[in-house]
Amino acid sequence: TGLGLMVSYKIVDNHQGSIQVTSRLGKGTTFEIVLPYLEPAAEAEGGPGKVTRIRRSRTDEGKL
């Protein structure tokens, strides 16, 4: 129904993140979710956050 993507988008958007989608016919679709990350010590000091990328992909068998 597409509701899962909308709910996911709203959660990511509320956390000042972004979702990027790439799709290749016959290969599959990749959703990249980027969220800001702030070290607890940096947060207390008001410092800038950093981006930590976590990459997970599924094979054709559906295994992580």
Side-chain angles (χ1 to χ4, degrees), residues 21-62:
V21 181
T22 55
S23 185
R24 292 181 19 198
L25 189 61
K27 295 290 184 180
T29 303
T30 300
F31 289 81
E32 182 178 36
I33 298 172
V34 178
L35 296 169
Y37 173 76
L38 189 61
E39 291 283 346
E43 183 177 13
E45 298 169 4
K50 67 177 184 178
V51 174
T52 302
R53 294 193 183 271
I54 299 172
R55 180 173 210 115
R56 292 187 181 178
S57 59
R58 293 185 176 214
T59 64
D60 291 338
E61 294 84 36

